[in-house]
Amino acid sequence: MNCCCQDKKSEANQCCDTGIDFSLMDEIISQYRTEKGSLISVLQKVQDVYGYLPIPVLREIAVKMGLKPAQVYGTATFYTQFRLKPVGKYLILLCQGTACHVNGSERIETALAEELKIKPGETTSDGLFTLDSAACLGCCSLAPVMMINGQAYGPLTSEKASRIIRDIYTAEQQKAGEGEKA
């Protein structure tokens, strides 16, 4: 978990290697620095700022909070809510809980992976979609279910799941076309 910045900070409070602006998390760190047991809250809020938790950011959190880097990294990798890689604009979480599993979540996963041309855990090359799974989304009455950016979709069939993705992609293309006209 090393960064070239650990020995020398740039004038702009950025990671010299990646251009990450560490000052974006200063307010969060100062709010929680003295609160014992606040690491998870810090990681959640910092992830909201950057969209994920880059390794240099984890190192900076450790330094600024007086924690061991292994403790910060260990916490970030233990909880599934934390991401160490960027995700797409649309984060698809496919439920793998018992109700979803017995109602065909595997078929839904296969259909989504084929539609997006990625494997679970990956992001599309255009950065629009990330396909991931969750142990349970708490929407058993909608099984099988997926969430896209927090919105639940279900009960799903393979065809319905693929159509939802195509509809989002079409809407994104229309937005891009309107942006070019402006």
Side-chain angles (χ1 to χ4, degrees), residues 72-92:
V72 176
Y73 182 79
T75 302
T77 56
F78 179 79
Y79 294 100
T80 57
Q81 66 179 302
F82 298 122
R83 298 178 297 275
L84 300 184
K85 297 187 308 189
V87 294
K89 181 176 180 178
Y90 297 95
L91 176 58
I92 303 164

Side-chain angles (χ1 to χ4, degrees), residues 153-174:
Y153 296 86
L156 294 171
T157 62
S158 298
E159 296 78 28
K160 187 175 180 180
S162 294
R163 189 174 345 105
I164 291 166
I165 299 306
R166 285 192 298 271
D167 289 348
I168 292 171
Y169 189 70
T170 299
E172 283 295 320
Q173 287 179 316
Q174 287 173 350

Side-chain angles (χ1 to χ4, degrees), residues 48-60:
D48 287 345
V49 169
Y50 296 103
Y52 72 111
L53 295 169
I55 297 297
V57 165
L58 294 177
R59 179 143 208 22
E60 192 70 7

Side-chain angles (χ1 to χ4, degrees), residues 50-117:
Y50 296 103
Y52 72 111
L53 295 169
I55 297 297
V57 165
L58 294 177
R59 179 143 208 22
E60 192 70 7
I61 289 170
V63 169
K64 288 184 175 182
M65 293 191 67
L67 301 170
K68 293 181 179 175
Q71 180 184 2
V72 176
Y73 182 79
T75 302
T77 56
F78 179 79
Y79 294 100
T80 57
Q81 66 179 302
F82 298 122
R83 298 178 297 275
L84 300 184
K85 297 187 308 189
V87 294
K89 181 176 180 178
Y90 297 95
L91 176 58
I92 303 164
L93 292 176
L94 180 62
C95 184
Q96 299 295 347
T98 303
C100 290
H101 179 75
V102 299
N103 283 296
S105 64
E106 272 185 33
R107 289 188 306 275
I108 307 302
E109 183 177 74
T110 299
L112 290 170
E114 287 175 6
E115 184 69 36
L116 296 167
K117 297 173 182 53

Side-chain angles (χ1 to χ4, degrees), residues 9-22:
K9 297 282 181 212
S10 68
E11 295 286 321
N13 198 17
Q14 291 187 344
C15 178
C16 54
D17 219 11
T18 63
I20 297 170
D21 185 352
F22 290 141

Side-chain angles (χ1 to χ4, degrees), residues 176-182:
E178 290 171 9
E180 290 173 10
K181 293 177 187 174

